[in-house]
Amino acid sequence: MKLSKCFDEEEKLFRAVRPVCNGKIFIENGKISSAAFKDKKGLSVDRQGYREINDCLKTMKQKFEGIIVSVLVNQCNKLQIKICYCPSKNNEYHTELHQSDDERLLSDIQAYSLAKLAVIENDCNS
């Protein structure tokens, strides 16, 4: 089934987060840092699409190390985050989160809010 460019409000967006990356602490004492949601190129996530959550986690565990976290589309919408579906040749679920039409890097408050809202789905190493 081909994915739509439109997102369901309850669709999950998944991100792999390493506990420590390049000296930055992304997860400490079970809390996610806002730094985990900062990327000047646009924050890469995998959208759930029509998949079961366990299928999403399984696919991500094959590609990434770290911990998989999720946020909901409606949470991003409330924060006025632009959700850009941009599938790649190797990943039909690839999506990016941008601050706005003009700015890719999420604002500090957007990143902080996502860190507070994010749910730890699974440890990639388990």
Side-chain angles (χ1 to χ4, degrees):
M1 182 178 288
K2 187 172 176 163
L3 291 171
S4 167
K5 291 184 179 187
C6 299
F7 292 82
D8 182 279
E9 287 286 311
E10 295 302 314
E11 185 173 353
K12 287 190 174 192
L13 303 171
F14 298 94
R15 179 155 173 82
V17 178
R18 295 188 200 138
V20 177
C21 181
N22 299 327
K24 294 181 181 176
I25 298 174
F26 290 149
I27 297 180
E28 187 173 32
N29 299 323
K31 302 223 188 251
I32 303 164
S33 165
S34 62
F37 295 95
K38 290 287 212 170
D39 189 329
K40 63 184 175 186
K41 298 177 195 169
L43 190 75
S44 288
V45 297
D46 270 14
R47 68 182 294 186
Q48 182 177 358
Y50 304 108
R51 302 176 292 171
E52 294 292 325
I53 292 171
N54 285 338
D55 292 335
C56 300
L57 298 176
K58 181 180 176 182
T59 301
M60 289 192 74
K61 284 169 54 172
Q62 293 170 352
K63 298 186 286 185
F64 301 105
E65 295 177 4
I67 295 169
I68 300 170
V69 301
S70 70
V71 294
L72 295 172
V73 166
N74 68 31
Q75 293 170 322
C76 293
N77 289 341
K78 287 178 185 171
L79 294 168
Q80 298 180 329
I81 293 171
K82 181 170 176 62
I83 304 171
C84 305
Y85 176 50
C86 43
S88 67
K89 186 167 68 170
N90 297 324
N91 183 359
E92 69 177 306
Y93 300 98
H94 183 257
T95 299
E96 289 184 1
L97 304 182
H98 297 176
Q99 180 182 149
S100 66
D101 287 332
D102 303 323
E103 182 64 44
R104 289 178 178 242
L105 180 66
L106 295 181
S107 71
D108 290 344
I109 191 68
Q110 287 171 325
Y112 175 82
S113 298
L114 286 183
K116 293 294 180 197
L117 293 168
V119 173
I120 296 175
E121 294 283 350
N122 195 16
D123 182 331
C124 287
N125 300 316
S126 62

